[in-house]
Amino acid sequence: MSKEEKNAVYIGRKGTMNYCLVIVTIFNKGENVCTIRARGRSISKAVDVAEISSRRFLPEIIEIDTVNIGSEELEGEYGMKTVSTIDIVLKRKTAK
Amino acid sequence: MSKEEKNAVYIGRKGTMNYCLVIVTIFNKGENVCTIRARGRSISKAVDVAEISSRRFLPEIIEIDTVNIGSEELEGEYGMKTVSTIDIVLKRKTAK
C-alpha cells in the first residue's frame, strides 16, 4: 500500500467542508501527501475540496501536485456502465 | 489569442454528447489541440466529455494532455463568490 493510497479521501455525499476537515487533519498530523478521489457527479465536489483546502485553509502548507482523470467500469442496474473518475494529489510545499 | 483559446469548448447546460460532437468536429477539421473549460457543477460533465471524446469517439487520434484546476471570483446575488474551475487540454496523438 503506497503512501498515497493510505491517505486517500473518497468524495461522496457528505458536505464539502467535512472532506476539507479530513484533509486539514491529515496534513496537521504530519503527512506529506494526500489523494482526493471521486467518481461521476462527485467530481465537481472533489475539485471544490481541493481548492478550498489548498487556497483557503492551508495556503502556506499544501499545494495541488497532480490532477488525473480517467474512466471506470461499474456494474449498474442494467449491465456495465462507464463512469468518469478524478484523482487530485495534494502535497506539502517544500521548504524554500 | 493562442491556439488553445481559439479551440476552447465551454461546458454549460447542453447534453454531454453535444460537446463531444463539437470536439470531434474540431479534430476532424485538422486542429491539433482543444481545451475543455468548465466551472462549478459543470466540472463533472467536462470530465465526462473529455473521457468520452478521447476513449470512445477518437481513441486513435486524440489523448488527454493536461488537466488543471483552479478558482475564479464571480459576482453573485449576495456579493462575490468563489467557484472552482477545470481546464482539460486534449491534443492530437503524435505519429509514432
Side-chain angles (χ1 to χ4, degrees), chain A residues 10-52:
Chain A
Y10 293 87
I11 306 301
R13 283 152 191 263
K14 288 184 198 159
T16 303
M17 289 306 163
N18 292 63
Y19 299 108
C20 293
L21 181 62
V22 171
I23 290 164
V24 169
T25 307
I26 286 171
F27 282 99
N28 281 346
K29 280 195 302 184
E31 298 287 350
N32 292 316
V33 73
C34 158
T35 305
I36 301 168
R37 296 222 157 113
R39 288 198 285 227
R41 295 295 118 214
S42 300
I43 288 175
S44 305
K45 197 190 285 179
V47 175
D48 286 342
V49 169
E51 285 292 311
I52 293 168

Side-chain angles (χ1 to χ4, degrees), chain A residues 16 40-52 55-56 64 67-71 82-86 88, chain B residues 16 40-52 55-56 64 67-71 83-86 88:
Chain A
T16 303
R41 295 295 118 214
S42 300
I43 288 175
S44 305
K45 197 190 285 179
V47 175
D48 286 342
V49 169
E51 285 292 311
I52 293 168
R55 283 175 201 264
R56 199 194 302 173
I64 291 159
V67 183
N68 281 299
I69 62 175
S71 298
T82 306
V83 292
S84 299
T85 63
I86 196 164
I88 305 169
Chain B
T16 303
R41 294 294 118 214
S42 300
I43 288 175
S44 305
K45 197 190 286 182
V47 176
D48 286 341
V49 170
E51 284 292 311
I52 293 168
R55 282 175 203 263
R56 199 193 303 174
I64 291 158
V67 183
N68 281 298
I69 61 175
S71 298
V83 292
S84 299
T85 63
I86 196 165
I88 305 169

Side-chain angles (χ1 to χ4, degrees), chain B residues 66-92:
Chain B
T66 56
V67 183
N68 281 298
I69 61 175
S71 298
E72 260 177 41
E73 294 280 323
L74 280 187
E75 207 164 329
E77 209 172 336
Y78 307 101
M80 300 303 282
K81 59 173 190 172
T82 306
V83 292
S84 299
T85 63
I86 196 165
D87 280 15
I88 305 169
V89 179
L90 300 176
K91 68 169 183 182
R92 186 178 295 274

Side-chain angles (χ1 to χ4, degrees), chain B residues 7 9 21-31 33-34:
Chain B
N7 292 326
V9 177
L21 181 62
V22 170
I23 289 163
V24 169
T25 306
I26 287 171
F27 283 99
N28 280 346
K29 280 196 300 182
E31 298 288 349
V33 72
C34 158

